């Protein structure tokens, strides 16, 4: 499974890149807002250029904000034309369905098709059903991003549970009064990811599934087990993937036991 970092923070991108595990970067307007606040960004153009250079050829998803077909294509072209020449790594994030107004319902698909035809790679975002993923893939999306964590949040709210954002939610769902709680047949975020992977595999699409909105290490493990091509992870989840109390305990024992004569061989 490829690992993308879900962050617009250049320090975090640089850090994870230096570990040799990074395959790409995803941003969204909320993550850009966080970076603006942290880095007190005045010159957004220079910041985005730096982000793309640091990613150094790895794909970086930049999301548009328009909510109609023409506006989305125009913004996507503007971003792609302005920034892709820097490191040849811009991917445009297009929502599957940009507006609750029924007439705009098809605009995401129209934008994906048009951008794909002119060679702009698209990451289709805000995917909450396997059928949305299927339609995005048919329209030509290079990536589809099912939002696993937000599905879990939604199902937990239906269960009446209180929870922290990083809490684990079981892949096979949870019952209330003997009934498995679902969202139109989807019982967890990982269930959504698994079903997106299966649907695209059934028909041989090249579109890659990015497990997005990831909350914890166990969810990242499950995304890998169900065959997600990519997981896009916040830095906190990447860190959590490294930690185990028995690793720490084992390390302490080895350090306590190591004889001086042996230490001298390495000094
Ligand atoms: C990435 O593509 C998504 O925008 C991101 O993972 C959403 O994560 P969140 O649900 O934690 O905001």
């Amino acid at each position: 499974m490829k690992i993308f970092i879900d962050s617009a923070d250049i320090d975090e991108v640089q850090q994870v890149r230096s570990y040799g595990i990074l395959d790409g970067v995803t941003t969204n307007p909320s993550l850009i807002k966080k970076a603006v606040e942290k880095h007190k960004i005045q010159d957004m153009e220079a910041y985005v250029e730096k982000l793309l250079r640091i990613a150094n050829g790895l794909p970086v998803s930049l999301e548009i904000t328009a909510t109609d077909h023409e506006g989305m294509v125009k913004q996507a072209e503007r971003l792609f034309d302005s920034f892709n020449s820097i490191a040849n790594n811009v991917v445009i994030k297009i929502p599957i369905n940009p507006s609750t107004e029924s007439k705009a319902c098809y605009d995401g698909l129209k934008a994906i098709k048009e951008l794909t035809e002119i060679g702009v790679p698209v990451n289709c975002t805000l995917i909450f059903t396997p059928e949305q993923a299927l339609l995005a893939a048919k329209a030509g999306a290079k990536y589809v991003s099912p939002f696993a964590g937000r599905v879990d949040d939604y199902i937990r709210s239906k269960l009446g549970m209180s929870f922290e954002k990083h809490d684990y939610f079981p892949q096979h769902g949870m019952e209330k009064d003997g009934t498995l709680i679902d969202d139109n047949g989807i019982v967890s975020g990982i269930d959504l990811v698994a079903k997106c992977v299966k649907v695209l595999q059934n028909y041989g699409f090249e579109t890659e599934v990015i497990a997005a909105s990831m909350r914890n290490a166990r969810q990242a493990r499950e995304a890998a087990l169900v065959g997600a091509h990519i997981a896009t992870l916040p830095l906190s989840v990447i860190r959590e993937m490294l930690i185990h109390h028995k690793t720490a305990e084992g390390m302490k024992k080895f350090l306590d036991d190591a004889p001086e004569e042996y230490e001298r061989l390495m000094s």
Side-chain angles (χ1 to χ4, degrees), residues 6 26 28 93 125 145 147 150 165 212-215 232:
D6 200 20
T26 53
N28 62 35
K93 250 182 168 182
T125 190
S145 292
F147 274 35
R150 293 194 196 186
K165 194 175 175 183
S213 181
M214 299 292 279
R215 306 287 199 234
T232 188

Side-chain angles (χ1 to χ4, degrees), residues 225-259:
L225 286 169
V226 300
H229 304 91
I230 302 158
T232 188
L233 306 172
L235 182 60
S236 58
V237 174
I238 296 173
R239 183 178 179 280
E240 195 193 325
M241 288 165 78
L242 286 165
I243 308 294
H244 194 279
H245 61 97
K246 292 297 281 182
T247 306
E249 185 187 298
M251 191 63 203
K252 184 172 180 321
K253 175 91 174 93
F254 290 151
L255 295 183
D256 288 348
D257 286 349

Side-chain angles (χ1 to χ4, degrees), residues 13 22 64 103 114 123 154 161 176 210:
V13 174
L22 193 65
I64 50 78
K103 72 179 171 52
E114 212 164 294
N123 172 357
Y154 177 60
M161 287 169 71
K176 189 177 182 182
I210 305 180

Side-chain angles (χ1 to χ4, degrees), residues 71-95:
M72 288 194 287
V73 170
K74 209 162 139 198
Q75 286 186 341
E77 285 179 330
R78 185 85 200 277
L79 281 175
F80 195 78
D81 294 346
S82 308
F83 295 109
N84 193 51
S85 58
I86 291 160
N88 196 27
N89 58 348
V90 172
V91 173
I92 300 294
K93 250 182 168 182
I94 299 283

